Amino acid sequence: MSLTVAVQMDPLESINIAGDSTFALMLSAQARGHRLFHYAATDLNYADGRVWTRAHPVTVQQVEGDHFRFDAPVSLDLGADADVVLMRQDPPFDLGYITATHLLERVADRTLVVNDPREVRNAPEKLWVLDFARFMPPTLVTRSLEEARAFLAEHGEIVIKPLHGNGGKAIFKVGSDGANLSSLIEVFNTAYREPHMVQAFLPGVVKGDKRIVLVDGEIAGAVNRLPGEGEIRSNLAVGGTAAKAALTPREEEICAALSPELKRRGLLFVGIDVIGGEWLTEINVTSPTGIVAIDRFNGTDTAGMIWDAIEAKVAARTG
């Protein structure tokens, strides 16, 4: 089966091919004989029931500095000319991202969009996870300094982070003395219109923050991300390092609880974050990462597993 695959992502020249999950998916698709097109979310257009984009036919190769070649751009009708759309642009999960989900939703009955755009819109990482609060650390969502102070008094040490942040950016720890808490809430309230996430600090973060990837609800693998020197953040984008990881019984329980809902929602490629082997902190559905590191440690082929699932879904639609 040869598919036409439109990849909605950030500029290819800006990616790190050694660890980029989207690039790994593109290499795998190309090896299977699928035809690739690249475009940006800002290039989407709508008129008369059609959603189209200016897209470049693209070939990719694992050569740093020479990792892609564009052919002349074409007008690609995503509802008629594409079999699959990979929605893989990085957050922030802002109005531009939300608008892209609304436009892609208009072709999702004809073209398989991964992940399902409606469900991406309805499942922001730090809000949908509240549906599984039994697995989470103590959590407060607020803009109130008074509520944050009360939460700090109850839990001793806390972490504050933007509700729609990504990549480990703007995550702050506040100690039991509450130093700078009022200033921090003031800055957050100025920078963001939405509430903020406040959680009890988990000392287990020094042992890492595990990224577990699920493909169509099934566990594909995991990697432990260890924080750098003097850091509480373990995201690879802010200096964390990756290490081989196995799942704890609690993590397997979390995955089993999530699996039916991921399948029901059409969230085919998902990454969840678990601290200390037991505390679920995020469910990443917008543009999850981690498959390159997982495959490097485990000798697996997560990109291939994702394409197996995509091809099966396309075949079920057309058969």
Side-chain angles (χ1 to χ4, degrees):
M1 173 192 300
S2 179
L3 302 176
T4 297
V5 179
V7 186
Q8 177 177 299
M9 65 179 292
D10 300 316
L12 270 168
E13 55 266 26
S14 67
I15 66 173
N16 172 16
I17 67 170
D20 190 90
S21 293
T22 306
F23 190 72
L25 287 169
M26 294 173 76
L27 286 170
S28 182
Q30 183 175 273
R32 291 174 177 233
H34 302 325
R35 188 179 183 201
L36 297 172
F37 290 82
H38 173 278
Y39 73 95
T42 51
D43 292 329
L44 288 170
N45 307 283
Y46 169 86
D48 300 324
R50 295 173 56 245
V51 177
W52 77 95
T53 182
R54 180 178 181 272
H56 287 271
V58 61
T59 55
V60 290
Q61 60 182 357
Q62 193 77 48
V63 179
E64 185 65 50
D66 187 24
H67 54 279
F68 72 96
R69 299 282 174 86
F70 278 159
D71 288 336
V74 299
S75 179
L76 188 70
D77 186 320
L78 296 180
D81 301 331
D83 300 299
V84 179
V85 172
L86 296 183
M87 187 168 58
R88 293 288 305 171
Q89 78 269 24
D90 288 340
F93 190 71
D94 55 13
L95 282 175
Y97 213 115
I98 291 169
T99 300
T101 68
H102 280 292
L103 291 174
L104 291 180
E105 187 179 351
R106 295 181 177 276
V107 304
D109 60 334
R110 290 160 283 159
T111 301
L112 179 66
V113 183
V114 178
N115 286 316
D116 182 281
R118 180 189 296 108
E119 298 304 336
V120 167
R121 186 172 64 248
N122 291 339
E125 357 266 53
K126 295 184 183 71
L127 283 173
W128 184 40
V129 69
L130 300 176
D131 285 3
F132 303 90
R134 65 191 184 277
F135 299 118
M136 295 179 67
T139 297
L140 169 70
V141 177
T142 189
R143 290 177 62 88
S144 166
L145 174 59
E146 180 182 0
E147 295 295 342
R149 280 177 170 157
F151 191 80
L152 174 63
E154 180 180 358
H155 297 288
E157 294 181 303
I158 59 174
V159 170
I160 303 177
K161 50 191 172 183
L163 200 60
H164 297 297
N166 68 293
K169 300 181 184 73
I171 298 177
F172 294 89
K173 178 185 175 186
V174 178
S176 57
D177 61 0
N180 295 320
L181 177 60
S182 61
S183 295
L184 189 56
I185 292 295
E186 180 182 337
V187 169
F188 269 47
N189 283 351
T190 301
Y192 308 106
R193 296 182 64 183
E194 65 272 15
H196 327 300
M197 178 165 273
V198 186
Q199 291 183 316
F201 175 68
L202 302 174
V205 73
V206 298
K207 297 180 180 178
D209 176 0
K210 196 173 296 182
R211 164 57 56 89
I212 305 170
V213 167
L214 297 102
V215 177
D216 202 20
E218 303 300 322
I219 298 168
V223 62
N224 198 31
R225 301 173 297 181
L226 299 167
E229 184 70 27
E231 272 281 2
I232 62 167
R233 303 174 299 170
S234 55
N235 306 69
L236 302 184
V238 294
T241 56
K244 186 177 175 64
L247 268 60
T248 66
R250 167 78 164 187
E251 288 166 340
E252 291 178 348
E253 179 187 358
I254 292 170
C255 292
L258 286 169
S259 178
E261 194 64 11
L262 297 178
K263 291 179 179 179
R264 186 185 74 79
R265 289 173 175 251
L267 296 171
L268 189 147
F269 178 13
V270 171
I272 68 171
D273 297 336
V274 182
I275 292 177
E278 60 177 323
W279 298 110
L280 176 66
T281 58
E282 291 189 21
I283 305 172
N284 295 275
V285 304
T286 49
S287 183
T289 61
I291 67 174
V292 175
I294 287 171
D295 290 344
R296 184 169 68 247
F297 287 117
N298 297 337
T300 47
D301 180 14
T302 306
M305 184 177 178
I306 291 168
W307 282 110
D308 285 345
I310 289 173
E311 290 168 4
K313 289 184 180 299
V314 172
R317 284 172 166 231
T318 58

